[in-house]
Amino acid sequence: MYGYEIFHEDILNRLIRSVREGKNAAAYIFEGHKGLHKSEAARLFAKALVCENPENAPCCGCPSCVEAQAGSHPDIIYVEKEKDRASLGVGPIRDMVTECGIKPFGKRHKVFIIDEGDLLTPEAENAFLKIIEEPPEYAVFIIICSNAEFLLETVRSRSIIVTFPPVPEEIVQDYIERKYPDEPRIDFFVKYCEGIPGAADELIGDPELEGFRDEVLSLVPRLLSKNKIHGFEAADYVEKNKDKAADICDLLLMYTRDAMVIAMGSPEKVINTDKRDKLDKLVEAYPAERLVAGVTELITARKMLDRHVKASAAILHAALDI
Ligand SMILES: [Zn+2]
């Protein structure tokens, strides 16, 4: 969209319309999961804000649009944390306030993008608050963060909060197919990314992913075996990898569901097509009712995790009830 990889065209169309009508606000918070290209969205919005043809912004042809696209427009400023700091402190925000006092180079807006909004300290937010209470008319601020709730209420109440939700599977699929045309595991990634296209960028090419998928696949027979010791072994694996408990549970559910759909005569619904041999072995080894029970119990286990039940307990519970 206008030269950017955007997943939320509806949101961007609204923002661009506000620029064209001269109705944009001074401060925005773009919130949502990492991997939804909120930064790309901010760059596109900034391009529209500095475009020299506001009624048609971003026109993509004026010198401002060209510079914005190249990432070299002097009125689009990125506010970043100091290199040796873990948080985004008051220093860079005070610099931003000073910079904000200087009129833009162009005739339009001066846009400040704070890409690491999650790292803002309360002092930095208070310094930011002073400038958004009475901003110069040319200034626009965009804070990008995972969840606006983590920002001060006083900052939130003076900003337009723009939420970027997860997107439909078709959009994830389209993104992966275009970016990774030779990827054989597209169906798996479309499901596994859960509406976050950018999550695929971290997963595809991760050297540990395949080992992890195989390990979890080897747990499925332990869960289905109706053998208490095997159940404890599965729970033990989850306990040792509890930072990945939700991923383990999701994968277990995906594999068991894959085996179930094969058993029920719908192999075209398999997600992990690259694991078909092992899935077929599961179907040979266990009756369809056991696979259905596995899916049901794993859905329950996943809900238990969402309620913060201890992960190993949730898996053990599933194994014993299948
Ligand atoms: Zn333009």
Side-chain angles (χ1 to χ4, degrees), residues 283-296:
V283 177
E284 282 166 27
Y286 302 102
E289 310 82 69
R290 187 86 57 85
L291 299 172
V292 175
V295 169
T296 309

Side-chain angles (χ1 to χ4, degrees), residues 211-261:
F212 176 61
R213 288 180 74 210
D214 285 336
E215 275 176 22
V216 176
L217 182 52
S218 73
L219 289 185
V220 179
R222 287 188 171 76
L223 280 182
L224 297 175
S225 70
K226 278 188 171 285
N227 176 323
K228 245 186 190 176
I229 293 170
H230 288 168
F232 280 110
E233 284 170 359
D236 193 42
Y237 176 84
V238 176
E239 180 60 27
K240 282 185 184 135
N241 297 279
K242 51 186 167 203
D243 55 322
K244 291 201 251 179
D247 288 337
I248 295 169
C249 200
D250 286 344
L251 267 178
L252 285 170
L253 179 56
M254 251 188 226
Y255 286 136
T256 313
R257 182 196 156 279
D258 277 350
M260 180 185 81
V261 296

Side-chain angles (χ1 to χ4, degrees), residues 47 51-53 57-62 64-65:
K47 180 176 167 179
C51 173
E52 290 157 37
N53 297 301
C59 72
C60 297
C62 72
S64 279
C65 278

